[in-house]
C-alpha cells in the first residue's frame, strides 16, 4: 500500500508493478464537514441540530424514529454554537450537549471520522458503474462497482467506469487522507474533490483499458480519514486485531504478533501454543508443520581468517511448528566456508573485509594499484561475488503488510529471493546510481560512444506463472520474463544521464487474494542474480586503467595528472616542468600550451593552478621615485548595489556585485547565491553578480537569484592607473570568450568610506555588452604609502635663542598611511639682535673710516691737480717736453705737508708708496711728475679695493 499523504492527485495510467505514477496538482487544504450522524437513539426518537442561522446559532430538536409517533416529544432547546467541537477521544452527548470521553474499546477523532472496516460500504458512501464507451452502448456496467473486501475496498477490473463517492457539506476547514494500492498501468485512477462552500462530493473513479486481453489488477483503498467535522456524536468500536485500553482514545492500537482481539476489544489475547497470529490479527490460526521452505540461509561477513559461516534462519515471523508430525528441523548453522573474493575495484583489508579502492586506483579484487601517469581509471560497478549486500543496493517487499522479512539474500556466488509472506508479493532488489560520465579517452567521440550499459546474469526457477521484471528510471518496466528461465545474460543501453535506480522484481503469482488456509505457498519458486555490471558510473570503482586522450587534461578529468607544476608531453605520458611563474590551465591542450604565464605583478600559487596578488605593489615613477601600494584593507569581500531598476509591472530590483580584490591562498572568495529555488545554487570567485529584490519575508531581507561569475581568475595587475583585470571561464552564447572585469583604483585621501565603488555613467549596469564589466573604486587605500618625499620642512625664526622645525605634507596630498609626519624639532640658535648690533657697529666704523679716507684723498687729489696744472702751464707749447725746474726748493706757497705726513703718520699706504719711490731715480722734474702720477694711479686702485670691501661689509 502507498500512503496518500493528504494530497489531491490525479493518476493517469500505471508506472509499473506495485508503483504509483501520479500527476500531482498543487496541494490544497480540504475543507469538509460531514452530515450529522444520528445519535442517542432511544426507542422512539433521537436528537438533531437545526441548520445554523446567520448568527452562528442553532437549536436541538427531537426527531421521532418512526413517522407515526409525533406526540410527547421533548421541547426544542438552545443548541451549542456552530463552531463547537470536541477534542480527540471525545464525542458530543446530545442529551447533555457536553463532550464526554469515549469508553475503552472505542475511539474518536474529535473533529473527524475514519473508515477502516469494509465489510460493507459505510453509511454515506455510494458506488455505481457506467459505460463511457460510446461505441459499445450495449455493455451493461451496472455491476461494475467498488466492492468491500474486509480491510479494503476494491475497484472494478473491466472497461466500465466505477465511481465511489461520499457527500459532504463544507462548514469547517479539514483534510482527507487515505491509503491506496495502484499496481496496474492498464487502469486509469483519479480522485476529485470540490472545495466550494455548501454541499460537495468526494469521489474516486477508475476505468480499465485492457489492450492485450490480460487480467487487470484492481485499485484498492483503505483507511479513509476525514477531519473538519464540527462534532461527532458517537465513538467508533476498535476493529478486530486492534484495541484501546484506556477511555478517551483517539485511535486503536494493533495487537502484536501471536495475539488477537475481537471488535471493540480493550486488550489483546494470547494465542494458544499450537496456533499463531500475525500482528493485527482478529483470530489465531493453527500452526502448520515446518518445511524446507520455512527457513533460508545466508552468510556472515568474512572473519580475520578469510572464512564465512553458513547460517540458517527461520522466516519471520515464524508461523510453523517443529513439533507437528512431519515437520523439519532447522539445519545447524556455523559451517565455515572460504570467503569469496572481493569484487573488482575492491581490496581485502586486514580484517578480511572488502573496501573500495581510492580514486585513481584500480583492483581485480585483491589489492589496489595506482593508475600510471597518463592513464585514467575505468569506473563502474561490477558485482559478481555476494558475501554481503552492497551499500548502494537494498531489498524490499511490496506491498508491506506488516512483514519484516528481507526479499533478497546473498549466497556467495549469487543473490536470491527468500520466501515471501504472500505469493503475490513483489520481491524487489534496487540498485541506486548517482549518474554517468564518459571517460576522457572516449569523450572526444561522444556521439559514437555509449554513455553507459548495464548487464546482468540471472536465472528463474518456477512451478507456475511467476514473473521476473527489470525496471528502470521511474520504475518503468524495461523487460519481463515469465516462468522458468535458464541462466542467461541481459544488457540494456543507458542513454539518459541522470540519477536513477534499477530494480529487479520477482512475483510468484499475480493472484492478489489472501492465501487461504488450504493453499500451499509456492516457496520453491526462486529468482537468482549472479552478476551485475554497469559502466561509466559516477562514484564507482575501477577494475582497470586506460590511456588518456590528448585532451584529457580538462577540468573534471579522471586522467592521472603530472606532478604539480608539470605538463604532459602529448602522446608520451612523460611529464615536464613548466617555466617559472606559470600555472597549469586545466582546459588547455596537453603539452607546453598548458603552461600559462602569470600577468604583470602577479605570482602563481603553490598548487600551480592560478595567479594571485598579495595586495602589495611597487611602482617606479618616471622621476625615479619608488611608490609602495598596500591594498590589504580592500582584500575583504565587498558588496554594493547598482541603481534601482524596475520591471514592466513596477517591481523594483537591483544588481548586486560582490568583489574580492586580492589576497593570498586561503582567502575568502566573493559569493553570490540563489535563495529562491530549493537548489540554493551559489557561485564563488573574484567578482560575481546576482539579481536581488527587496523582500517582506522576515527570514530574509532580500530575494537573490540568477547568480553568475564575472571573474574567477586574476589576469593582470597594471600599474599605470592601478587596476586589476579578472576573467571568468564560464562561457555563454553571448560571451563566447567568457566574462571579464576591470577594477580601476583611484587614490582619494578625502574618502572616508572604504567602499566607494561606482559604475560607468554610460553603462549603469556595469557593462555595455554583458561580457566586459568596469568598476571604479575610490579609496584612501588606493593611494601609495607615504614616504619622506611626500612632506617638507619649515624652519621658524630664532626667537629668544630657540628655533623650531615643522614638517607638513606636500599639497595636494597623494598618499595614505605609510610613513607618518616627523614630530616638530626644537634647537638652540643665536638671536637676530646680536647680529644686528654687531652689524650696525661694524658698519658704522667702516663708514667713518671710508669717509675719512675719502676726504683725505680728495684733498690730496686737489693739490696734485693744482700742481699738475701749474706744471703744464710752465711747459710752454712744446710737445713732449716738460718744463725745467726753476728751483729744487719749495716754491712760495708750497709747503712740505706731504713730506711731513710721510714722516709723521707712517701709514701702511705711505710706506708702500715710499718704498716704491725709492726704487726709482728722479733725474729730472719730468721723472718726478711721472712718479706723482703713478702714485695717483696706485691710490685710485687702493681706494677701489677698499670701497669693494666696505660695500661687502
Amino acid at each position: 500500500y502507498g500512503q496518500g499523504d493528504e494530497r489531491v492527485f490525479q493518476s493517469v495510467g500505471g508506472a509499473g508493478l506495485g508503483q504509483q505514477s501520479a500527476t500531482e496538482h498543487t496541494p490544497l487544504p480540504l475543507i469538509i464537514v460531514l452530515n450529522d450522524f444520528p445519535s442517542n437513539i432511544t426507542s422512539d426518537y433521537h436528537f438533531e441540530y437545526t441548520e445554523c442561522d446567520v448568527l452562528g446559532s442553532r437549536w436541538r430538536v427531537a426527531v421521532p424514529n418512526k413517522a407515526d409517533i409525533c406526540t410527547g416529544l421533548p421541547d426544542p432547546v438552545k443548541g451549542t454554537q456552530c463552531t463547537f467541537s470536541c477534542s480527540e477521544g471525545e464525542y458530543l452527548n446530545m442529551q447533555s450537549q457536553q463532550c464526554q470521553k469515549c469508553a475503552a474499546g472505542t475511539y474518536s477523532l474529535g473533529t473527524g471520522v475514519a473508515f477502516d472496516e469494509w465489510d460493507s460500504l459505510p453509511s454515506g458512501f455510494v458506488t455505481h458503474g457506467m459505460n463511457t464507451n460510446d461505441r459499445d452502448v450495449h455493455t451493461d456496467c451496472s455491476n461494475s462497482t467498488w466492492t468491500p473486501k474486509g480491510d479494503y475496498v476494491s475497484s472494478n477490473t473491466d472497461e466500465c467506469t466505477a465511481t465511489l463517492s461520499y457527500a459532504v457539506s463544507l462548514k469547517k476547514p479539514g483534510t482527507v487522507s487515505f491509503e491506496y494500492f495502484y499496481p496496474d498501468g492498464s487502469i486509469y485512477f483519479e480522485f476529485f474533490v470540490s472545495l466550494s462552500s455548501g454541499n460537495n462530493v468526494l469521489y474516486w473513479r477508475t476505468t480499465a483499458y485492457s489492450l492485450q486481453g490480460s487480467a487487470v489488477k484492481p485499485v484498492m483503498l483503505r483507511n479513509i480519514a476525514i477531519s473538519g467535522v464540527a462534532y461527532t456524536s458517537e465513538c467508533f468500536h476498535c476493529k478486530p486485531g486492534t484495541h484501546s485500553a484506556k477511555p478517551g482514545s483517539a485511535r486503536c492500537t494493533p495487537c502484536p504478533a501471536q495475539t488477537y482481539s475481537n471488535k471493540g476489544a480493550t486488550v489483546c489475547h494470547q494465542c494458544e501454543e499450537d496456533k499463531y497470529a500475525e500482528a493485527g490479527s482478529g483470530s489465531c490460526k493453527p500452526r502448520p508443520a515446518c518445511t524446507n521452505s520455512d527457513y533460508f540461509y545466508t552468510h556472515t561477513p568474512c572473519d580475520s581468517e578469510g572464512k564465512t559461516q553458513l547460517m540458517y534462519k527461520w522466516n519471520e515471523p515464524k508461523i510453523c511448528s517443529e513439533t507437528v508430525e512431519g515437520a523439519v528441523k532447522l539445519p545447524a548453522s556455523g559451517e565455515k566456508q572460504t570467503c569469496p573474493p572481493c569484487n573488482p575495484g575492491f581490496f581485502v583489508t586486514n580484517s578480511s573485509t572488502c573496501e573500495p579502492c581510492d580514486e585513481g586506483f584500480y583492483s581485480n579484487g585483491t589489492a589496489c594499484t595506482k593508475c600510471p601517469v597518463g592513464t585514467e581509471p575505468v569506473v563502474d560497478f561490477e558485482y559478481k561475488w555476494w558475501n554481503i549486500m552492497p551499500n548502494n543496493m537494498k531489498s524490499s517487499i511490496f506491498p508491506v503488510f506488516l512483514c519484516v522479512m528481507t526479499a533478497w539474500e546473498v549466497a556467495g556466488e549469487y543473490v536470491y529471493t527468500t520466501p515471501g509472506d504472500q505469493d503475490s508479493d513483489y520481491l524487489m532488489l534496487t540498485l541506486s546510481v548517482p549518474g554517468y560520465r564518459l571517460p576522457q579517452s572516449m569523450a572526444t567521440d561522444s556521439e559514437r560512444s555509449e554513455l553507459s550499459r548495464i548487464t546482468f546474469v540471472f536465472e528463474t526457477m518456477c512451478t507456475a506463472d511467476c514473473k521476473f521484471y527489470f525496471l528502470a528510471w521511474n520504475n518503468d518496466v524495461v523487460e519481463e520474463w515469465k516462468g522458468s528461465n535458464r541462466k542467461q545474460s541481459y544488457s540494456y543501453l543507458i542513454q539518459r544521464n541522470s540519477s536513477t535506480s534499477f530494480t529487479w522484481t520477482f512475483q510468484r503469482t499475480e493472484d492478489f487474494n489472501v492465501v487461504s488456509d488450504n493453499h500451499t505457498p509456492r516457496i520453491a519458486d526462486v529468482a537468482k542474480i549472479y552478476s551485475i555490471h554497469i559502466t561509466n558510473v559516477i562514484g564507482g570503482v575501477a577494475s582497470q586503467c586506460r590511456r588518456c586522450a590528448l585532451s584529457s587534461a580538462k577540468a573534471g578529468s579522471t586522467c592521472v595528472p603530472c606532478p604539480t607544476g608539470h605538463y604532459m608531453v602529448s602522446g608520451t605520458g612523460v611529464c615536464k616542468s613548466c617555466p617559472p611563474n606559470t600555472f597549469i590551465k586545466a582546459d588547455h591542450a596537453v603539452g607546453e600550451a598548458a603552461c600559462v604565464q602569470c600577468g604583470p605583478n602577479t605570482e602563481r600559487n603553490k598548487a600551480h593552478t592560478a595567479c594571485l596578488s598579495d595586495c602589495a605593489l611597487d611602482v617606479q615613477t618616471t622621476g625615479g621615485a619608488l611608490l609602495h601600494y598596500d591594498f590589504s584593507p580592500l582584500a575583504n569581500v565587498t558588496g554594493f548595489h547598482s541603481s534601482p531598476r524596475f520591471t514592466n509591472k513596477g517591481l523594483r530590483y537591483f544588481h548586486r556585485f560582490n568583489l574580492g580584490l586580492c589576497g593570498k591562498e586561503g582567502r575568502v572568495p566573493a559569493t553570490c547565491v540563489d535563495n529562491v529555488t530549493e537548489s540554493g545554487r551559489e557561485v564563488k570567485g573574484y567578482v560575481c553578480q546576482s539579481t536581488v529584490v527587496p523582500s517582506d519575508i522576515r527570514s530574509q531581507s532580500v530575494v537573490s537569484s540568477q547568480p553568475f561569475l564575472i571573474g574567477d581568475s586574476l589576469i593582470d595587475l597594471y600599474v599605470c592607473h592601478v587596476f586589476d583585470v579578472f576573467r571568468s571561464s564560464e562561457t555563454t552564447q553571448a560571451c563566447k570568450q567568457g566574462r571579464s572585469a576591470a577594477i580601476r583604483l583611484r587614490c582619494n585621501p578625502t574618502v572616508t568610506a572604504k567602499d566607494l565603488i561606482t559604475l560607468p555613467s554610460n553603462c549603469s549596469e556595469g557593462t555595455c555588452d554583458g561580457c566586459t564589466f568596469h568598476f571604479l573604486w575610490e579609496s584612501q587605500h588606493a593611494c601609495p604609502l607615504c614616504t619622506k618625499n611626500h612632506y617638507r620642512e619649515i624652519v621658524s625664526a630664532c626667537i629668544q635663542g630657540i628655533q623650531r622645525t615643522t614638517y607638513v605634507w606636500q599639497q595636494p596630498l597623494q598618499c595614505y598611511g605609510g610613513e607618518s609626519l616627523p614630530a616638530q624639532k626644537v634647537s638652540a640658535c643665536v638671536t637676530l639682535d646680536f647680529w644686528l648690533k654687531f652689524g650696525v657697529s661694524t658698519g658704522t666704523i667702516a663708514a667713518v673710516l671710508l669717509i675719512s679716507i675719502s676726504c683725505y684723498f680728495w684733498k690730496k687729489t686737489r693739490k696734485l691737480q693744482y700742481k699738475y696744472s701749474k706744471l703744464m702751464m710752465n711747459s710752454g707749447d712744446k710737445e713732449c717736453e716738460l718744463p725745467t725746474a726753476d728751483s729744487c726748493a719749495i716754491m712760495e706757497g708750497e709747503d712740505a705737508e706731504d713730506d711731513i705726513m710721510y714722516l709723521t703718520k707712517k701709514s701702511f699706504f705711505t710706506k708702500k708708496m715710499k718704498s716704491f719711490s725709492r726704487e726709482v731715480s728722479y733725474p729730472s722734474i719730468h721723472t718726478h711728475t711721472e712718479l706723482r702720477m703713478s702714485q695717483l694711479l696706485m691710490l685710485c686702485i687702493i681706494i677701489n679695493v677698499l670701497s669693494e670691501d666696505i660695500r661687502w661689509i
Side-chain angles (χ1 to χ4, degrees), residues 794-863:
I794 299 177
V795 180
S796 68
C798 185
I799 301 175
Q800 297 180 355
I802 297 177
Q803 189 174 47
R804 302 178 186 274
T805 303
T806 305
Y807 299 89
V808 296
W809 294 113
Q810 299 278 7
Q811 296 299 326
L813 181 61
Q814 292 295 325
C815 69
Y816 182 79
E819 190 170 326
S820 303
L821 279 176
Q824 187 184 58
K825 294 182 180 179
V826 178
S827 58
C829 64
V830 180
T831 62
L832 181 61
D833 295 342
F834 170 79
W835 289 110
L836 182 60
K837 293 176 182 179
F838 177 77
V840 171
S841 301
T842 306
T844 302
I845 295 172
V848 171
L849 179 61
L850 180 61
I851 293 172
S852 300
I853 294 175
S854 298
C855 292
Y856 169 75
F857 284 110
W858 177 80
K859 183 177 179 181
K860 293 293 289 183
T861 302
R862 292 284 292 176
K863 290 179 180 183

Side-chain angles (χ1 to χ4, degrees), residues 269-280:
H269 304 285
Q270 191 72 31
C271 291
E272 298 177 2
E273 291 185 2
D274 58 344
K275 295 183 178 181
Y276 75 97
E278 299 171 353

Side-chain angles (χ1 to χ4, degrees), residues 645-853:
R645 312 185 70 83
F646 298 88
T647 63
N648 294 334
K649 295 185 178 181
L651 178 64
R652 186 177 60 147
Y653 67 94
F654 302 87
H655 290 308
R656 177 171 179 82
F657 299 91
N658 288 334
L659 310 178
L661 186 65
C662 56
K664 299 181 180 179
E665 295 188 62
R667 64 179 182 84
V668 178
T671 304
C672 296
V673 300
D674 179 359
N675 60 9
V676 176
T677 61
E678 294 181 357
S679 62
R681 176 175 172 264
E682 64 178 21
V683 295
K684 295 183 178 181
Y686 279 99
V687 187
C688 64
Q689 175 190 317
S690 61
T691 301
V692 298
V693 179
S695 173
D696 296 331
I697 302 175
R698 294 183 180 179
S699 60
Q700 51 191 20
S701 59
V702 295
V703 173
S704 176
S705 64
Q706 302 175 0
F708 64 86
L709 269 178
I710 299 176
D712 57 9
S713 59
L714 176 62
I715 304 300
D716 295 307
L717 180 60
Y718 290 94
V719 299
C720 54
H721 297 293
V722 187
F723 66 91
D724 296 343
V725 178
F726 304 91
R727 182 173 296 279
S728 171
S729 58
E730 292 183 356
T731 59
T732 62
Q733 186 173 1
C735 306
K736 299 186 182 300
Q737 301 300 323
R739 299 183 179 91
S740 62
I743 303 177
R744 287 174 170 82
L745 302 178
R746 176 177 294 174
C747 171
N748 191 345
T750 62
V751 176
T752 56
K754 186 183 70 173
D755 308 329
L756 182 58
I757 305 176
T758 57
L759 302 174
S761 57
N762 58 336
C763 300
S764 59
E765 295 184 358
T767 177
C768 296
D769 59 0
C771 300
T772 303
F773 292 77
H774 295 273
F775 307 98
L776 176 61
W777 195 338
E778 294 186 67
S779 174
Q780 297 172 331
H781 305 289
C783 300
L785 299 178
C786 295
T787 63
K788 294 181 179 180
N789 298 327
H790 290 94
Y791 61 82
R792 61 187 177 89
E793 64 178 19
I794 299 177
V795 180
S796 68
C798 185
I799 301 175
Q800 297 180 355
I802 297 177
Q803 189 174 47
R804 302 178 186 274
T805 303
T806 305
Y807 299 89
V808 296
W809 294 113
Q810 299 278 7
Q811 296 299 326
L813 181 61
Q814 292 295 325
C815 69
Y816 182 79
E819 190 170 326
S820 303
L821 279 176
Q824 187 184 58
K825 294 182 180 179
V826 178
S827 58
C829 64
V830 180
T831 62
L832 181 61
D833 295 342
F834 170 79
W835 289 110
L836 182 60
K837 293 176 182 179
F838 177 77
V840 171
S841 301
T842 306
T844 302
I845 295 172
V848 171
L849 179 61
L850 180 61
I851 293 172
S852 300
I853 294 175

Side-chain angles (χ1 to χ4, degrees), residues 143-417:
N143 294 325
S144 299
T145 60
W146 288 76
T147 305
K149 295 290 187 178
D151 289 334
Y152 59 91
V153 57
S154 176
S155 71
N156 66 319
T157 57
D158 54 23
E159 294 187 357
C160 295
T161 298
T163 302
L164 177 67
S165 60
Y166 189 79
V168 296
S169 178
L170 299 182
K171 296 180 181 179
K172 185 178 181 179
T175 60
V176 60
S177 63
F178 58 90
E179 296 176 4
Y180 63 93
F181 181 41
Y182 183 24
D184 200 329
S186 299
I187 194 168
Y188 178 88
F189 174 44
E190 64 178 337
F191 167 65
F192 178 80
V193 60
S194 173
L195 297 178
S196 59
S197 60
N199 294 326
N200 295 269
V201 177
L202 292 80
Y203 67 81
W204 296 259
R205 185 166 60 190
T206 57
T207 303
Y209 297 95
S210 178
L211 301 179
Q212 300 178 352
S214 59
V216 177
K217 303 176 183 63
V219 176
M220 292 178 281
L221 297 176
R222 71 175 185 180
N223 293 338
I224 299 176
I226 303 172
S227 66
V229 180
Y231 68 93
T232 178
S233 56
E234 66 176 344
C235 296
F236 300 94
H237 292 283
C238 294
K239 68 177 184 179
T242 63
H243 72 288
S244 64
K246 298 179 180 179
S249 297
R251 57 191 55 83
C252 297
T253 305
C255 292
Q258 310 305 328
T259 62
Y260 73 98
S261 69
N262 298 318
K263 185 176 182 178
T266 59
V267 294
C268 296
H269 304 285
Q270 191 72 31
C271 291
E272 298 177 2
E273 291 185 2
D274 58 344
K275 295 183 178 181
Y276 75 97
E278 299 171 353
S281 296
S283 61
C284 296
K285 300 177 181 179
R287 294 181 180 271
C290 291
T291 63
N292 293 333
S293 60
D294 287 314
Y295 64 85
F296 65 96
Y297 64 92
T298 184
H299 291 78
T300 62
C302 294
D303 56 21
S304 58
E305 299 177 354
K307 299 291 185 179
T308 180
Q309 297 185 36
L310 185 62
M311 307 297 293
Y312 294 91
K313 299 180 181 179
W314 293 109
N315 298 331
E316 294 295 339
K318 181 185 176 184
I319 61 174
C320 66
S321 175
E322 302 176 59
T323 60
V324 179
E325 183 180 355
V328 298
K329 301 291 184 180
L330 185 68
S333 298
E335 178 185 352
K336 287 194 173 184
Q337 298 177 349
T338 302
C339 283
C342 293
N343 286 311
F346 291 77
F347 69 97
V348 182
T349 64
N350 294 333
S351 58
S352 298
T353 60
C354 295
E355 294 290 339
C357 293
D358 295 334
E359 185 176 357
F361 289 77
Y362 70 98
S363 168
N364 60 358
T366 55
C368 298
T369 305
K370 185 175 179 59
C371 290
V373 173
T375 65
E376 60 181 339
V378 181
V379 179
D380 52 22
F381 287 147
E382 185 176 3
Y383 304 113
K384 59 183 182 180
W385 302 107
W386 305 90
N387 186 47
I388 59 173
M389 190 69 72
N391 294 331
N392 59 342
M393 298 183 71
K394 66 176 183 178
S395 68
S396 59
I397 296 178
F398 190 84
V400 181
F401 281 105
L402 303 174
C403 182
V404 295
M405 295 176 55
T406 57
W408 293 73
E409 281 288 347
V410 295
E413 296 182 352
Y414 56 85
V415 57
Y416 71 100
T417 55

Side-chain angles (χ1 to χ4, degrees), residues 521-551:
R522 301 188 180 100
I523 302 299
D525 296 359
V526 65
K528 297 180 180 180
I529 297 178
Y530 292 91
S531 65
I532 299 174
H533 185 203
I534 179 170
T535 62
N536 303 334
V537 181
I538 296 177
V541 293
S543 59
Q544 59 178 328
C545 300
R546 64 161 63 93
R547 177 69 62 182
C548 295
L550 294 181
S551 60

